Amino acid sequence: MIPVVFQNSDFVVINKPAGLNFHTEELPGLVVLVQQQLGVDHLYPVHRLDKMTSGLLVLALNKQSAQTFQVLFESHQIEKFYIAISDQKPKKKQGWIKGDMVPARRGSWKLTQSLENPAVTQFISELVQPGERLFLLKPKTGKTHQLRVAMKSLSAPICGDKRYADSLKAEAEERGYLHAYAIRFTLNEQQFAFVSSPSSGVRFMQNKCQEILQKWQNPWDLIKS
């Protein structure tokens, strides 16, 4: 069963497990599984999460709501926050990551110093233990692989990221350590806010990591701009 965080007549918020494809390939993907689970004829994805990424995801239940969400996303009126863990020392511990994203090898992307149509991410971080740091990331744009590329550009690729981190080390991790942690938006004049901590991953389950997440329960108060 896919955990359902919230549901009304317009949309459903689910908690995506790590390692599950968004779309159906050889096996049923997330959208099909949720559709079957809810017993609805159609679901409208309004954003997506990579296979390695767990966490909060919104699916519209009707076409009108899907169109409204599309407008909200395009006008940057939906706040999303992610958490990630890296075992590499970052170039900086908080601030902004900005740059154009251009295609690299084998479907990957890389960040450049140009700012024509940049991917923009704001972040803070806190030390979990020596050599391991938890990041709170707020993407201002919605580019493919944006946060994974942003973390690599900090010299702190996400643990378990088989595409952007050291492949041998990544293979040894039980999951990719990127989680869609919180989302906030206003729909039909009603404000919605959801926060969900990860439920899997040894690194995420550490006591110190859990202590930090307790302090980060209202991420919009920590990254406001």
Side-chain angles (χ1 to χ4, degrees):
M1 295 282 285
I2 307 294
V4 174
V5 177
F6 176 85
Q7 183 178 352
N8 64 12
S9 59
D10 293 316
F11 66 92
V12 60
V13 181
I14 60 97
N15 203 335
K16 176 189 173 294
L20 177 61
N21 271 324
F22 188 79
H23 295 295
T24 295
E25 293 180 3
E26 295 87 5
L27 298 172
L30 175 74
V31 177
V32 169
L33 291 174
V34 176
Q35 186 175 319
Q36 292 172 348
Q37 182 176 317
L38 298 180
V40 296
D41 293 332
H42 200 76
L43 282 174
Y44 299 82
V46 296
H47 63 128
R48 67 182 301 277
L49 295 176
D50 292 338
K51 180 178 179 179
M52 69 170 257
T53 308
S54 60
L56 295 171
L57 184 83
V58 178
L59 297 162
L61 291 169
N62 55 69
K63 200 168 187 176
Q64 183 177 355
S65 296
Q67 291 171 340
T68 303
F69 273 113
Q70 184 177 1
V71 171
L72 292 176
F73 273 105
E74 288 175 352
S75 55
H76 306 295
Q77 294 184 60
I78 293 183
E79 292 182 281
K80 293 190 295 178
F81 297 83
Y82 293 74
I83 56 171
I85 291 181
S86 179
D87 60 359
Q88 301 295 309
K89 185 177 180 180
K91 293 178 181 177
K92 56 184 178 180
K93 297 173 184 177
Q94 64 180 29
W96 297 82
I97 309 162
K98 301 179 182 180
D100 291 324
M101 289 178 58
V102 299
R105 294 181 180 179
R106 302 184 191 92
S108 296
W109 296 81
K110 62 181 179 180
L111 204 68
T112 68
Q113 293 185 339
S114 62
L115 296 169
E116 294 178 18
N117 181 26
V120 179
T121 304
Q122 190 176 6
F123 76 100
I124 61 173
S125 69
E126 193 164 324
L127 196 67
V128 177
Q129 61 179 339
E132 187 177 36
R133 183 169 286 272
L134 182 67
F135 293 76
L136 178 66
L137 303 144
K138 183 181 182 182
K140 306 288 185 174
T141 49
K143 313 283 188 182
T144 300
H145 292 183
Q146 176 173 324
L147 298 180
R148 297 163 68 182
V149 173
M151 290 288 290
K152 184 176 182 181
S153 77
L154 281 179
S155 298
I158 298 168
C159 290
D161 189 339
K162 297 175 184 177
R163 182 177 290 273
Y164 294 103
D166 178 273
S167 58
L168 287 177
K169 287 178 62 179
E171 286 287 350
E173 298 282 354
E174 64 181 302
R175 59 161 294 175
Y177 281 88
L178 180 62
H179 177 80
Y181 179 58
I183 189 166
R184 184 168 73 164
F185 55 87
T186 299
L187 183 73
N188 300 328
E189 300 182 349
Q190 182 177 354
Q191 188 176 79
F192 297 92
F194 305 98
V195 179
S196 178
S197 294
S199 59
S200 70
V202 172
R203 293 180 185 273
F204 278 146
M205 296 298 108
Q206 295 175 90
N207 288 338
K208 179 60 176 178
C209 186
Q210 294 295 310
E211 288 174 14
I212 298 169
L213 292 179
Q214 282 297 314
K215 296 191 293 183
W216 289 359
Q217 281 293 302
N218 295 300
W220 27 79
D221 294 335
L222 302 171
I223 303 179
K224 297 181 179 181
S225 58

